Amino acid sequence: MIEYIKGELTELTPALATVEAGGVGYGLSISLNTFSAIQGKKEVKLYVYEAIREDAHVLYGFVNKKEREMFELLITVSGVGTNTARMMLSGMSVGELCNAISTGNAKLIQSIKGIGKMTAQRIIVDLRDKIVALGIADEIPAGGQMQAPVNNAVRDEAVAALTMLGFSPAPSQKVVVSILQQQPDAAVETVVKLALKQIK
């Protein structure tokens, strides 16, 4: 098993990186996130996932272990193959994907090409607990804090109450989720009272 390949980046396209190590040029399929991270570099270290099939032996390269772990989790979901998983990691960062999974945002996951409603829901159900257990959810997306799983029933009730009070659903949900992350066992009334102080 190849853990990682470290060497000179000799060729790079948004979908493929060629890394020369020990006189051998390895072609690695990459996501757009990895492409952006290694663009302009001469020396790179890419973590590897080997997809060995009857008709092909494909190497996938990742800029860090978190991205590879996320890829490995995605391909465990029925209906998600290696190309679809790579597409997902090209459309969103690991942090954004964790965020969408942990908050049950199926619409955001569906916005990625090739992901239908059923597959998006399956990804959420199958991976919500796993991303937390593996620590992938520790990944912080740029400009925001990672969302941990929250009590959806309390969240929905609190957001509904705030919406009836005249607040917009989107900012209300953001504040409610933030409160529930800090106080997972808070009752709806408590969440609404705290939210009223925070919503701008």
Side-chain angles (χ1 to χ4, degrees):
M1 181 182 138
I2 301 171
E3 174 63 14
Y4 62 82
I5 293 173
K6 185 179 181 182
E8 183 187 350
L9 183 62
T10 56
E11 288 180 45
L12 181 65
T13 71
L16 191 75
T18 303
V19 181
E20 186 178 325
V24 179
Y26 296 92
L28 297 118
S29 296
I30 57 172
S31 69
L32 283 176
N33 285 322
T34 292
F35 172 74
S36 300
I38 65 175
Q39 206 173 7
K41 292 187 177 181
K42 288 183 178 178
E43 294 281 323
V44 295
K45 177 182 179 180
L46 293 178
Y47 291 90
V48 174
Y49 174 83
E50 295 177 82
I52 300 169
R53 300 192 296 267
E54 282 182 19
D55 58 340
H57 185 168
V58 184
L59 298 178
Y60 290 86
F62 305 94
V63 70
N64 54 42
K65 285 185 177 180
K66 295 267 189 194
E67 191 185 24
R68 182 175 65 181
E69 285 172 4
M70 193 73 215
F71 177 88
E72 289 173 342
L73 280 180
L74 286 169
I75 61 175
T76 65
V77 178
S78 176
V80 179
T82 51
N83 285 331
T84 303
R86 182 172 65 155
M87 181 76 74
M88 292 183 74
L89 289 166
S90 292
M92 301 166 109
S93 70
V94 174
E96 287 164 344
L97 197 47
C98 282
N99 206 346
I101 292 168
S102 62
T103 55
N105 192 339
K107 280 189 178 177
L108 188 59
I109 296 170
Q110 277 176 253
S111 68
I112 297 163
K113 186 183 173 186
I115 302 293
K117 186 177 180 181
M118 292 294 288
T119 304
Q121 289 172 345
R122 211 177 292 125
I123 288 167
I124 290 165
V125 171
D126 287 5
L127 302 187
R128 183 177 263 163
D129 293 336
K130 290 179 184 175
I131 58 171
V132 176
L134 278 173
I136 299 174
D138 298 337
E139 182 83 5
I140 305 292
Q145 190 173 354
M146 188 60 247
Q147 307 268 16
V150 296
N151 186 323
N152 289 336
V154 173
R155 179 197 68 192
D156 294 345
E157 226 176 305
V159 171
L162 290 163
T163 305
M164 283 191 284
L165 290 170
F167 295 98
S168 299
S172 298
Q173 174 149 321
K174 194 173 179 183
V175 171
V176 166
V177 168
S178 175
I179 291 165
L180 284 170
Q181 285 175 330
Q182 293 162 19
Q183 301 180 40
D185 300 322
V188 174
E189 298 84 352
T190 308
V191 173
V192 172
K193 283 178 185 175
L194 289 169
L196 288 171
K197 295 174 185 173
Q198 293 180 36
I199 296 177
K200 292 184 175 74

